[in-house]
Amino acid sequence: MIFRQLLETDSSTYTYLLACERTGQCVLIDPVIDTVERDLQVLQDLGLQLTYTLETHIHADHLTGARKLRAYTNSKIVVPAMDQLSCADLGVEEGKPFKVGDIELHPLYTPGHTSTHHAYMLDNGMQKILFTGDALLIEACGRTDFQSGDASTLYQSIHSKFFNLPDETLVYPAHDYEGRQITTIGQEKNRNPRLGNGKTLEEFVEIMTTMNLPYPRKIDFAVPGNQACGQCPDNVPEQYRGPCEITALPKALQRVAKVGDQG
Amino acid sequence: MIFRQLLETDSSTYTYLLACERTGQCVLIDPVIDTVERDLQVLQDLGLQLTYTLETHIHADHLTGARKLRAYTNSKIVVPAMDQLSCADLGVEEGKPFKVGDIELHPLYTPGHTSTHHAYMLDNGMQKILFTGDALLIEACGRTDFQSGDASTLYQSIHSKFFNLPDETLVYPAHDYEGRQITTIGQEKNRNPRLGNGKTLEEFVEIMTTMNLPYPRKIDFAVPGNQACGQCPDNVPEQYRGPCEITALPKALQRVAKVGDQG
């Protein structure tokens, strides 16, 4: 398996590339519209064609790169089925493994940050690997005060779907704002200041409802744009419109885009 | 592969269990004399017989459990060959993979914390996994002011053997004093306050030589004891002598020790 953890710096979002070396199939989990060209470069450097993009949820802090990547490469847009997005090509749901060549991703329904949030788990033969989206972050978790967020629901999701996994389970979050890349279930059960060390539901809800976080900078265009799989709505402010354009790719990237060019 | 990260709390040492499921062979990296019974319980719960113990270096902060585990289970004591310990059963060296069933551990000669320190690397098909011993810790590194330590040598080891590995390489350290379990090469290159963000050799040596760390609490008995593979020397103070004794195992643990009992 080929694996890469790729950072989009403006929203501190991690995009994950997983590729099956036997079949050449690959997936980008949570690609960002701002870094589509970077992602294409990585794919091309590795000699890969993009098969799927896969979302953990409808993001409020960035626009997904799903639609733009589909335009360039004919990749299929995969989202949680319960999002019922007509722009998507495939829906996933808990209990039905999503296969990318020989890679099996197990969707875990983990509402709380949003009401349809999913995490994805795989087993690499040594450890379980959890892509936790915004449900669980390193010493943090996704906010629950916007969209369909609910602190009590998030607590239940984390406890019932994550905290019963082995301590050695690797946690790859969708964001980190301090340059950290990885944690484990054991480490978060021990150290997470909102959830660790046996924090109760009441303590967690109290913490989450008294955070006084600023209004999300991109939410007004990101949510409607992501409900359209990353189509830029008219209200994207000028300074964020650059990545909206689907320009001709530089020559160096035309090999990775050849499926799209032919389509 | 079966994998466990086990903590010894007095010295905050991580012991790593790696087992090949096909052959049943397994290894404990850096076991501690204080937690031999705990380790045997884990092995028995998993239905494993201990094949090897493997040291990263001659520790100054705890006594190895190698000799006590060998007494109970007939496991073989494996150490860096250049340590030339007559008490050991096998020596490893860089360039010669050490096989535990289907698991291949690649020794990396990484002096600096001690002059014969080795790290061990494996590839699980998704990421490279590095057991860094005391050479590289999470946002830290092993001290270089005792035994055969040398800051300049440690800097070279980390740069030439670790920092040229992929950013996604998982780093499992021999210690963490704050309950963290894991980091990556990318994260340490970015965030390690002594080595990250392009710190020069001169900056690193300056940091390491002005740390004013306290005298290691167990060094006077740990180093000679570990040069004898974990035999307690006469100068072990009373409060640390408990684990020195090789008592009859409780009935519940006699299955895991059966090879030793027969030997």
Side-chain angles (χ1 to χ4, degrees), chain B residues 3-6 13-18 27-31 54 130-133 171-175 180-182:
Chain B
F3 172 67
R4 292 290 186 280
Q5 183 177 26
L6 305 163
T13 298
Y14 282 123
T15 296
Y16 295 98
L17 168 64
L18 292 167
V27 61
L28 284 170
I29 300 176
D30 287 339
L54 174 62
L130 204 50
F131 299 97
T132 51
V171 170
Y172 284 109
H175 301 284
R180 295 166 300 190
Q181 296 189 323
I182 195 166

Side-chain angles (χ1 to χ4, degrees), chain A residues 138-202:
Chain A
I138 303 170
E139 296 178 22
C141 61
R143 62 195 294 174
T144 55
D145 56 341
F146 276 105
Q147 295 175 272
S148 48
D150 181 79
S152 173
T153 303
L154 182 58
Y155 185 92
Q156 302 293 358
S157 289
I158 291 170
H159 276 262
S160 66
K161 301 290 169 74
F162 298 157
F163 277 8
N164 52 8
L165 294 168
D167 280 355
E168 288 83 0
T169 303
L170 299 181
V171 170
Y172 283 108
H175 300 285
D176 191 74
Y177 305 95
E178 300 175 34
R180 295 166 300 189
Q181 297 189 324
I182 196 167
T183 181
T184 65
I185 288 299
Q187 184 168 321
E188 293 311 310
K189 282 169 83 168
N190 180 23
R191 281 174 53 98
N192 192 296
R194 304 181 193 169
L195 289 144
N197 209 4
K199 283 270 188 309
T200 64
L201 171 62
E202 291 67 31

